[in-house]
Amino acid sequence: MMTAFADVGSVGSTSGLDFSHLGTIATRLVLALVLGAALAYRPWRLVFGRQPMPVDTAQAQTLIAVAGAILVTMIGDSIARAFGLVGLGGFIRFRSGIKDPRDAAVMFVAIGVGMACGMGLEAIAVVTTLFVALLLVLFDATGTPRRARIRVSLDDAPVSMPRLHRAFPALRVVTLPVGRGPHDVVLEIEAARAPDAGALHDAIVASGVTGIHVVEVIDD
């Protein structure tokens, strides 16, 4: 372990920096990028028919892995640099809403993977990435189906409900007005990917529902 820290200190030092050091740093950053992206984008979700990861969340997690590698390389064995970077990091605020708590956990893993890459502990970084990726694959394969909320404006909602249930077997009715319409019906449906209003309209028409005025995705 002391050898690893000494190696980081020599690479991260600004004195005597040569091209061999730059090559080592670049290799570690690229490895952090690749491993971080593998965890962030989770390409196996396409195999399970689940929605791909939001681009902004995946990019943020990938950059965090790279940032972890950069910070460890810059700090080296300098305690002064460590305190300085911690102070600068106090100005950073994450304001993006995280719907899935697993995304926050992946961010912490990305930091650890990036730091391992920056310290030259490539084997630990790769094994950690593979282990966490297997866990995420298991969670994505066995997780509950994703649900989306839609609004449909119909002339006669009560008459149309049996046909809507045939079009969406896992349908859950959130709001069902009574009497003759047009009325807005709010429904929850299972959707592997982000639902498209046009595709939903076609599915509703194919089920035999008539008098459709609006099909809108209100909660994705």
Side-chain angles (χ1 to χ4, degrees), residues 8 10 32 45 47 57 62 80 103 114-115 118 123 127 129 131 134 137-138 153 156 163 170 192 204 214:
V8 171
S10 62
R45 291 174 69 95
V47 178
T57 300
T62 303
D103 293 340
M115 293 179 69
V127 171
T129 301
F131 181 77
L134 287 175
V137 169
L138 177 64
S153 181
D156 197 341
R163 296 173 180 174
I204 295 172
V214 177

Side-chain angles (χ1 to χ4, degrees), residues 123-135:
I124 293 178
V126 172
V127 171
T128 300
T129 301
L130 291 176
F131 181 77
V132 175
L134 287 175
L135 285 179

Side-chain angles (χ1 to χ4, degrees), residues 2-80:
M2 293 300 295
T3 304
F5 276 103
D7 181 61
V8 171
S10 62
V11 173
S13 175
T14 56
S15 60
L17 186 65
D18 55 27
F19 287 104
S20 63
H21 291 153
L22 292 178
T24 300
I25 294 173
T27 301
R28 294 177 180 180
L29 293 181
V30 170
L31 181 62
L33 172 66
V34 172
L35 297 180
L39 292 177
Y41 283 92
R42 304 182 205 175
W44 56 83
R45 291 174 69 95
L46 299 177
V47 178
F48 300 123
R50 294 186 175 273
Q51 182 184 15
M53 290 298 299
V55 175
D56 54 348
T57 300
Q59 290 177 347
Q61 292 174 350
T62 303
L63 288 173
I64 284 176
V66 177
I70 294 173
L71 290 178
V72 170
T73 303
M74 291 178 60
I75 291 172
D77 55 359
S78 172
I79 298 179

Side-chain angles (χ1 to χ4, degrees), residues 96-110:
S96 59
I98 299 178
K99 295 182 179 180
D100 190 346
R102 290 180 299 180
D103 293 340
V106 172
M107 286 189 178
F108 285 104
V109 175

Side-chain angles (χ1 to χ4, degrees), residues 112-182:
V113 168
M115 293 179 69
C117 292
M119 295 173 63
L121 305 176
E122 292 88 354
I124 293 178
V126 172
V127 171
T128 300
T129 301
L130 291 176
F131 181 77
V132 175
L134 287 175
L135 285 179
L136 292 174
V137 169
L138 177 64
F139 294 156
D140 287 332
T142 59
T144 57
R146 180 177 174 275
R147 301 187 69 86
R149 187 167 293 190
I150 64 174
R151 179 174 67 89
V152 183
S153 181
L154 302 168
D155 280 338
D156 197 341
V159 172
S160 301
M161 288 312 301
R163 296 173 180 174
L164 286 173
H165 276 285
R166 286 197 296 270
F168 308 104
L171 175 70
R172 189 175 79 88
V173 181
V174 179
T175 302
L176 177 62
V178 297
R180 295 191 176 273

